[in-house]
Amino acid sequence: MFPIEKFRSLPTPFYFYDVALFRRTAQAALSEAQKYGYIIHYALKANANEKLLHLLSGMGFGADCVSGAEVQRAIDCGFSPKSIAFAGVGKRDDEICLGIDHRIFSFNCESEQEIEVINELAKAKGVVAQAALRINPNVDAHTHAHITTGLDENKFGINLWQLLDVAKKVKQMSNLKLVCIHFHIGSQITEFSPFAELCAKVNELQEQLEQAGVTVEHVNVGGGLGVDYEHPAENSIPEFAAYFATLNRHIKLRPGQKLHCELGRSIAAQCGSLITKCLYVKELQKKNFVVVDAGMTDLIRPALYGAYHKIENITPQHAAEKVYDVVGPICESSDTFDKDVTLPQTQRGDLMAIRTAGAYGEVMASRYNLRQLPKAFFSDEV
Ligand code: LLP
């Protein structure tokens, strides 16, 4: 599936995106959402590559942003400001002003103080901004602790005990219109029960809010649908049908109320691979190491979360296999992509693909050790 001969002339390490798969994945998500009239705001934080964003905006996706720069990138790449949800616990004033000036769909507000600040900034501009309350539903997503967001102990959102007071307060604000309630319980969620649980919570909260005289036109359940890191080839398109069917089965929308979600990883992960070259093979008494030219600066997920990414030697191979630790060149022991991986016997110069790296890969790259940021290449351009 990889154009190996073409790869030989490209500077490693680099990200390679399978554009046809990206399109098919996005189309699958859209078609399943459209069955129920649901709206997808693609979460730019997963991958903000301009070419991919242009594709998504052209297909009719909305955008979910978490910084002013992401809001600007979304607009530059063709997303309608009316489709932009802007979340984040720490929005700066200038970032809020950017959103106000563009009349974005919603500020997903995460604290009482933020609500006051947005109201003041909107008032100064003589504008009524649209707000969503990001509610922390205290639902366990059963995923990695670093990417669980919906528990009381997390910094995100407005806690349940504050909700009614805060909602009533927003209703009294002159320059903020409450249009939506927003939730996000975590990422890389591979079971459907946490989503069902979230829906039950949404139903309960909607009733409480209505009893307090608060109604909203929109419900946003955030992102989180996981992907299969173990079997990227077999499960290249995530289970969108089951995800949206779960939402549809469990959520009770009011007449005319619209459901939104913010998928990131499930749209972008499987179409991207980090392509790297074997620099050295170290065969020691206790271990064999393959030292590659990509490091944690290019893909930090294994070092940061202990995340698994399938590694393949994509150079046509000799049959014999060996067990290796695949490591990068950075001066940190955590710069290890995986341990005890069975690979065809690997040699200096072999090209390797680190799979399922299209989400939270390129966007999380850093220049630690003064390394260059990895470039991106696309299947329809190389
Ligand atoms: N909406 C909100 C409010 C979020 O915080 C996130 C992700 C999403 C949507 C998109 O979630 P997704 O559909 O991609 O699961 N860097 C970590 C993932 C961090 C996710 C942060 N929030 C990783 O590499 O696993």
Side-chain angles (χ1 to χ4, degrees):
M1 68 167 272
F2 293 109
I4 312 287
E5 286 316 310
K6 289 181 181 154
F7 281 0
R8 294 207 179 281
S9 59
L10 301 176
T12 51
F14 60 87
Y15 276 90
F16 178 72
Y17 295 106
D18 179 338
V19 178
L21 177 60
F22 183 74
R23 243 187 249 275
R24 280 206 306 284
T25 307
Q27 190 52 56
L30 263 191
S31 311
E32 294 301 331
Q34 279 165 358
K35 280 186 186 164
Y36 312 103
Y38 298 164
I39 297 155
I40 310 178
H41 301 257
Y42 167 70
L44 266 77
K45 64 172 82 64
N47 188 318
N49 187 287
E50 292 176 12
K51 172 166 171 140
L52 302 181
L53 291 183
H54 276 289
L55 276 169
L56 292 179
S57 65
M59 293 171 81
F61 278 81
D64 163 40
C65 302
V66 285
S67 68
E70 281 193 1
V71 170
Q72 191 61 57
R73 172 72 61 90
I75 293 168
D76 293 346
C77 291
F79 289 90
S80 160
K82 288 193 181 58
S83 81
I84 296 179
F86 182 9
V89 289
K91 303 178 188 75
R92 287 195 315 261
D93 291 16
D94 63 298
E95 296 177 303
I96 294 170
C97 287
L98 178 77
I100 295 174
D101 291 342
H102 284 285
R103 310 283 193 272
I104 61 168
F105 164 62
S106 75
F107 287 94
N108 296 353
C109 302
E110 308 222 9
S111 69
E112 219 173 321
Q113 198 170 27
E114 181 191 341
I115 289 163
E116 287 162 10
V117 169
I118 299 176
N119 185 55
E120 285 308 313
L121 292 171
K123 192 184 282 175
K125 290 175 180 288
V127 172
V128 176
Q130 300 208 132
L133 286 184
R134 174 165 180 181
I135 303 169
N136 184 340
N138 200 23
V139 168
D140 192 345
H142 303 296
T143 182
H144 192 285
H146 288 189
I147 50 177
T148 290
T149 47
L151 293 175
D152 271 350
E153 68 218 49
N154 299 127
K155 68 179 174 180
F156 300 98
I158 290 163
N159 285 331
L160 296 179
W161 56 268
Q162 310 170 287
L163 179 60
L164 292 184
D165 285 346
V166 175
K168 285 182 199 158
K169 191 165 175 183
V170 180
K171 276 197 69 178
Q172 286 158 10
M173 300 258 165
S174 55
N175 293 75
L176 214 47
K177 183 178 179 213
L178 180 61
V179 296
C180 182
I181 47 175
H182 173 235
F183 304 82
H184 175 74
I185 53 173
S187 197
Q188 184 53 17
I189 301 170
T190 50
E191 299 159 24
F192 292 101
S193 53
F195 294 117
E197 216 182 303
L198 170 63
C199 291
K201 200 68 172 200
V202 173
N203 297 340
E204 191 188 311
L205 292 175
Q206 283 236 77
E207 277 179 24
Q208 287 179 18
L209 286 166
E210 279 167 1
Q211 277 164 16
V214 181
T215 54
V216 288
E217 297 158 51
H218 306 272
V219 174
N220 183 342
V221 292
L225 176 63
V227 300
D228 189 344
Y229 281 92
E230 313 269 336
H231 309 101
E234 296 83 343
N235 290 324
S236 58
I237 299 193
E239 295 183 77
F240 296 114
Y243 169 71
F244 288 111
T246 302
L247 297 182
N248 183 59
R249 192 168 321 122
H250 295 279
I251 206 147
K252 291 188 197 135
L253 295 177
R254 306 298 183 254
Q257 204 170 40
K258 289 252 182 295
L259 186 98
H260 302 244
C261 67
E262 303 171 336
L263 300 179
R265 186 191 313 266
S266 52
I267 309 281
Q270 295 292 23
C271 81
S273 296
L274 177 61
I275 308 297
T276 181
K277 195 181 275 173
C278 168
L279 292 175
Y280 305 105
V281 179
K282 281 175 79 168
E283 303 201 342
L284 306 181
Q285 273 173 345
K286 288 198 173 160
K287 281 255 175 200
N288 299 321
F289 291 95
V290 168
V291 184
V292 294
D293 63 1
M296 62 195 280
T297 53
D298 306 295
L299 177 67
I300 201 174
R301 301 192 71 258
L304 191 58
Y305 314 116
Y308 173 77
H309 285 259
K310 188 167 190 197
I311 301 174
E312 293 167 355
N313 184 330
I314 57 174
T315 300
Q317 279 307 324
H318 355 278
E321 289 187 329
K322 269 200 171 171
V323 176
Y324 301 97
D325 282 10
V326 179
V327 302
I330 314 292
C331 308
E332 306 255 353
S333 298
S334 58
D335 187 29
T336 295
F337 287 112
D338 200 6
K339 292 188 170 171
D340 301 321
V341 196
T342 303
L343 290 170
Q345 205 164 338
T346 297
Q347 295 172 358
R348 174 173 164 82
D350 282 358
L351 286 171
M352 331 268 292
I354 305 181
R355 304 291 306 273
T356 320
Y360 306 110
E362 194 184 347
V363 279
M364 291 180 81
S366 79
R367 290 215 50 208
Y368 183 39
N369 287 191
L370 281 188
R371 287 165 57 85
Q372 294 297 319
L373 291 174
K375 289 199 163 58
F377 296 98
F378 301 89
S379 56
D380 60 350
E381 289 178 15
V382 295

